[in-house]
Amino acid sequence: MKVNDEVKAGNTISSLHTGFIVLSTQIGVGILGYQRVVAKEAGHDAWISVLMAGIVTHVTVWVILKTLKRYPSADLYGIHQEVYGKHLGALLSLFYTLYFFLSATVILRGYVEVVQTWVFPNLATWVLTAIILFLAWYTILGGIRVIAGYIFFSVSVAIWLIGDLFFPLRFAEWDYLRPVLEANFGQLLKGMIGMSLSTIGFEVLYAVYPFVQDKERLNRGAQFGVLTTNLIYLFVMIVSLVFFSQGQLMRTIWPTLNLKKMVYFPILERFELVAISIWMIIILPNVIMYIWCGVRGLKRIFGWNMRNTLYGILPIIFISSLFIVTREEMNTMNDIYGQIGMYLAYAYPYVLYLLVAWRQGIGGAKEESAGVSVPK
């Protein structure tokens, strides 16, 4: 596996498209039910935990991009080989690819569960799973430019779904937010950690970085995507806190969908059913992006053809989704995934950055001692 990965000029994306990729991968199934998880720890100060999580996410994205900037043509897989060596680097890269596939499976199964609960109770799991995976397969074959184009389209089409949450504000009880800062720092921190399942997704930057044309503007595009995501999560949380009492919120699995039940039009009473259907446009890019990152990882590690690898990976994801049946199993899977995602998306980038800086510092010192000029 080469450290640097040369990308054809016709197979690149702009920093703006990368920002949309970050925005899209951060908003998925998690936004439908994260309020209960965060409020369970931080109470009516849960909005502060969301704000804290947003700040940490901005800093983490900055660290990821600072790491990648040290290897202009490399991705996570190449950096692993440079930092850890061939064998250990390949092992860690393989672990990351498995995480990407797990992400796709969790998001896919979570959306299917929502559809089965709210829209089609008798729908077989394999039917919708097969449809989504087929659409993912067809899009991934088009390459990163097609994926980025679809993500831009999906965000543009579905972003208005956030606006309908102004309807529940007619029944808002703003006193539910007081007193402010009743939760201590430990509770706020636990609430922030509870956001990990919902806010992860920006780590796909590790895989798409070599494909970005204007890398000098990438930080601006990525931070714009993260900022948009944070504002959406903060708005949804505040609406939930002033609409539901604490007792109601603790008993609600998908608060966002319950909020959409308050949207009423003369010709449409069950608006949440429409929202769930349109939500597939948002979920599909998540599944596509994570599968693409995982398959590309296998290509970089083992040199496998991406098209042929898809034929083997998609059936595995399909079969894995069928083994998750009950609500308890979903909760367990989400908890495990959230913990893994917290370490890989939030903690590991700082470790990797320090190792990269240390290794390049050692290498630079050796070159300078040998009389070789080192570029700054």
Side-chain angles (χ1 to χ4, degrees), residues 304-319:
W304 295 349
N305 180 273
M306 291 185 65
R307 178 186 293 265
N308 295 334
T309 305
L310 271 177
Y311 295 138
I313 293 299
L314 293 182
I316 295 176
I317 295 177
F318 175 78
I319 295 173

Side-chain angles (χ1 to χ4, degrees), residues 115-133:
V115 173
Q116 290 173 324
T117 303
W118 287 77
V119 187
F120 300 113
N122 298 321
L123 178 68
T125 301
W126 70 268
V127 175
L128 186 56
T129 302
I131 293 173
I132 295 177
L133 288 178

Side-chain angles (χ1 to χ4, degrees), residues 33-78:
Y34 74 100
Q35 302 97 312
R36 176 177 59 88
V37 178
V38 182
K40 181 180 179 181
E41 303 293 345
H44 57 259
D45 286 327
W47 66 273
I48 302 178
S49 293
V50 175
L51 197 59
M52 291 169 57
I55 294 173
V56 172
T57 303
H58 277 290
V59 176
T60 306
V61 168
W62 180 81
V63 170
I64 289 175
L65 294 179
K66 287 288 288 184
T67 304
L68 291 167
K69 192 176 181 180
R70 292 175 175 267
Y71 299 90
S73 300
D75 51 19
L76 176 68
Y77 313 110

Side-chain angles (χ1 to χ4, degrees), residues 64-284:
I64 289 175
L65 294 179
K66 287 288 288 184
T67 304
L68 291 167
K69 192 176 181 180
R70 292 175 175 267
Y71 299 90
S73 300
D75 51 19
L76 176 68
Y77 313 110
I79 294 175
H80 275 168
Q81 180 181 349
E82 176 71 16
V83 173
Y84 299 106
K86 180 178 180 180
H87 299 293
L88 181 58
L91 181 62
L92 291 174
S93 296
L94 181 60
F95 184 75
Y96 233 98
T97 61
L98 295 177
Y99 161 71
F100 285 138
F101 293 135
L102 174 63
S103 301
T105 305
V106 170
I107 294 170
L108 173 61
R109 187 61 187 92
Y111 177 71
V112 172
E113 183 196 24
V114 171
V115 173
Q116 290 173 324
T117 303
W118 287 77
V119 187
F120 300 113
N122 298 321
L123 178 68
T125 301
W126 70 268
V127 175
L128 186 56
T129 302
I131 293 173
I132 295 177
L133 288 178
F134 172 77
L135 294 174
W137 167 78
Y138 188 76
T139 307
I140 292 173
L141 290 182
I144 187 64
R145 288 177 64 91
V146 173
I147 296 173
Y150 174 72
I151 288 177
F152 180 82
F153 165 79
S154 68
V155 173
S156 303
V157 168
I159 193 67
W160 64 271
L161 285 174
I162 304 301
D164 58 39
L165 294 180
F166 282 100
F167 280 84
L169 287 179
R170 295 177 298 173
F171 311 98
E173 294 287 346
W174 295 99
D175 287 339
Y176 286 164
L177 295 178
R178 294 186 290 184
V180 179
L181 288 177
E182 184 178 38
N184 57 44
F185 180 75
Q187 292 172 318
L188 293 175
L189 184 61
K190 290 181 180 179
M192 183 188 73
I193 295 174
M195 279 287 295
S196 60
L197 176 61
S198 304
T199 54
I200 55 180
F202 53 86
E203 66 276 13
V204 299
L205 288 169
Y206 277 131
V208 302
Y209 184 77
F211 296 87
V212 181
Q213 296 172 348
D214 44 347
K215 291 182 173 61
E216 66 279 358
R217 298 181 181 178
L218 179 56
N219 186 60
R220 185 186 308 171
Q223 297 291 359
F224 166 76
V226 172
L227 177 61
T228 305
T229 303
N230 293 336
L231 292 177
I232 291 174
Y233 275 117
L234 183 61
F235 172 66
V236 175
M237 175 58 80
I238 292 176
V239 174
S240 301
L241 291 174
V242 299
F243 181 81
F244 297 104
S245 67
Q246 285 295 303
Q248 290 172 330
L249 195 55
M250 291 302 100
R251 296 191 300 268
T252 306
I253 299 177
W254 295 292
T256 305
L257 293 179
N258 286 85
L259 289 173
K260 292 185 180 296
K261 293 175 68 174
M262 303 306 299
V263 180
Y264 174 78
F265 296 103
I267 60 173
L268 183 63
E269 293 187 3
R270 298 293 303 276
F271 180 77
E272 72 274 11
L273 302 184
V274 177
I276 292 172
S277 301
I278 299 177
W279 208 259
M280 181 175 174
I281 300 177
I282 299 176
I283 296 301
L284 186 57

